[in-house]
Structures are given as C-alpha cells and as structure tokens.
Amino acid sequence: VQLQASGGGLVQAGDSLRLSCTISARPLSSARMGWFRQAQGKERIFVAHVRWGYGTTSYADSVKGRFTISRDKSENTAYLQMNSLKLEDTAVYYCAADPGSGSWKYFGQGTQVTVSS
C-alpha cells in the first residue's frame, strides 16, 4: 500500500490550503485515513481522520472548526481542507492509513505546510 500526498505550500496566516492523499489500494469500509503533522523539533501528532465507510470524522482540538477532512471513494483519495491557517499550523503533514486494525499502519511521504505572518 502506498500513500501519495500533495498540496502543501507557503501561505499567509488566515489563508486556506487543501491537502490530498491518494491510496494505492481501495480501503475497506472499516479503514481510516488520516493526517498527522510534525513541527520542527517536535513529535508527530494526530490532526484528523475519516472512517472510509461511513465518513465519520475526528479532529484534534487545535484544528476543530478550521480543518475539514473528507474522502472521495471513487478516487481513493482523502482531503484535508485547512482554513484560517495559523503560524502554529506550520509543519510537515503526513497522510496515514489504518486498514481496519485500529493502528496507523501506513504513512505517506510528508508535505510541507508553512504559514507566514
């Protein structure tokens, strides 16, 4: 299974950005796709996930109300719409997949998101 992430970039505070992550194998309904991020010098932390089947979502408190995760089953792709970006959102963002085991088994390459003032 491979994950291909894209969409990072340099934006100003308050701007929006959308990340995409395409998975090479069609996920099961019980699978999850998610996003993590790692700021420089810090640990990688959870951002959001979406359940592939029902589309239920979960978010870190720091992004609730600003970020929206979704998935397009026909494209095997998950998206992270990031609005009202803040300086503290600057990080390398990684997409991840849980095949239904409850563990994040697969990670894609990171995509850099930099928010400037």
Side-chain angles (χ1 to χ4, degrees):
V1 174
Q2 293 184 335
L3 301 171
Q4 182 66 46
S6 63
L10 172 63
V11 296
Q12 292 188 324
D15 284 351
S16 298
L17 205 58
R18 189 178 80 158
L19 305 182
S20 301
C21 178
T22 300
I23 188 167
S24 60
R26 183 177 299 276
L28 300 174
S29 294
S30 59
R32 296 179 296 166
M33 287 189 71
W35 292 92
F36 291 72
R37 68 186 183 187
Q38 186 170 21
Q40 191 170 6
K42 297 187 177 181
E43 294 184 350
R44 186 163 59 187
I45 59 173
F46 168 77
V47 175
H49 82 241
V50 58
R51 185 74 63 178
W52 196 258
Y54 288 105
T56 53
T57 58
S58 179
Y59 298 92
D61 288 343
S62 59
V63 305
K64 281 181 181 177
R66 300 188 298 120
F67 289 12
T68 302
I69 188 170
S70 61
R71 85 276 188 253
D72 184 332
K73 290 184 175 182
S74 66
E75 298 291 333
N76 282 0
T77 299
Y79 301 97
L80 184 68
Q81 178 66 43
M82 304 184 293
N83 298 330
S84 302
L85 283 162
K86 302 177 180 180
L87 297 179
E88 52 263 42
D89 293 319
T90 294
V92 177
Y93 284 71
Y94 297 90
C95 67
D98 159 21
S101 64
S103 298
W104 295 103
K105 185 174 181 180
Y106 306 104
F107 283 85
Q109 90 287 1
T111 185
Q112 177 71 46
V113 172
T114 303
V115 184
S116 65
S117 58

